[in-house]
Amino acid sequence: MFGTFPYEPEPDGAVFGPHHFYLGVLLILLVCWLNTDPESENSPWVVVGVILLSVFSFSLTWPYYPAVGALGVLVTLGIATASAVIRPFWWRSGVVAQSSLLVGLYVAWDDALSHALGWRTPLDAVWAEFLYPYASNPYVPSTPRLPTLPESLSGVRVPTEVRLPTDADLLADLEALFAEHVADALAVVAL
């Protein structure tokens, strides 16, 4: 179960690649920003500061000092999680803010644990099993197909003035449209 620490000397070989750690951090910072009250002294500055330190450890320390960077990410995420659970500020922030903060922490923890300890985490498993095979080698049909009318509409006649162009490329096939564009969309999703 445990091998070398950290499991990867540099997360996926590129710390500035699309990691879902960054998505979790962005969600955490967004929740903290939306719950900042300039009128009161209570603000989520502990979580913001610790999360920014975790980004520093992940992106700027881990590639050069792997053990220090990985340990820094795990410790700072632990402090942020403890602060989110224990601190009374988050008890009064509402269920949506608390849930969003915990989802962001979960996403960041998922990526940090998979890179630091080599564990197969749930979000990495979803990426490897379902999304990566499609994003890396999408199915694109060779020719578009025109949609056919259902049998319930078989008596409907198209006016004779309506003619479909034969030499133009039609985007009539939703499967082809989906296959051509979802791979590009998945390529920018940081998982």
Side-chain angles (χ1 to χ4, degrees):
M1 180 173 182
F2 291 101
T4 61
F5 182 80
Y7 180 73
E8 296 179 8
E10 185 173 2
D12 289 338
V15 291
F16 292 112
H19 292 280
H20 57 280
F21 171 79
Y22 296 124
L23 291 177
V25 165
L26 287 174
L27 180 59
I28 293 165
L29 293 176
L30 177 67
V31 170
C32 290
W33 178 53
L34 292 176
N35 286 297
T36 300
D37 184 15
E39 300 295 324
S40 77
E41 294 179 12
N42 290 333
S43 292
W45 295 116
V46 172
V47 174
V48 170
V50 171
I51 288 298
L52 291 176
L53 281 175
S54 74
V55 171
F56 177 80
S57 294
F58 189 86
S59 61
L60 299 176
T61 307
W62 196 326
Y64 304 106
Y65 306 102
V68 174
L71 186 63
V73 170
L74 297 177
V75 167
T76 54
L77 283 177
I79 293 170
T81 304
S83 175
V85 172
I86 296 172
R87 191 162 180 230
F89 172 81
W90 292 108
W91 299 347
R92 296 184 300 268
S93 62
V95 175
V96 173
Q98 291 171 354
S99 302
S100 300
L101 180 69
L102 292 177
V103 165
L105 284 166
Y106 173 76
V107 171
W109 270 109
D110 185 271
D111 202 28
L113 288 174
S114 75
H115 293 306
L117 303 177
W119 295 351
R120 184 164 174 109
T121 55
L123 294 178
D124 275 339
V126 168
W127 170 253
E129 188 73 25
F130 300 108
L131 299 176
Y132 180 73
Y134 184 76
S136 63
N137 189 15
Y139 162 73
V140 179
S142 59
T143 58
R145 296 174 301 202
L146 292 176
T148 57
L149 290 174
E151 288 188 29
S152 62
L153 299 175
S154 61
V156 176
R157 287 187 256 158
V158 178
T160 56
E161 304 86 42
V162 176
R163 296 218 166 99
L164 294 173
T166 56
D167 58 344
D169 291 331
L170 297 176
L171 294 176
D173 187 7
L174 293 178
E175 183 181 5
L177 178 68
F178 182 78
E180 290 171 1
H181 296 291
V182 169
D184 294 334
L186 286 176
V188 297
V189 173
L191 292 174

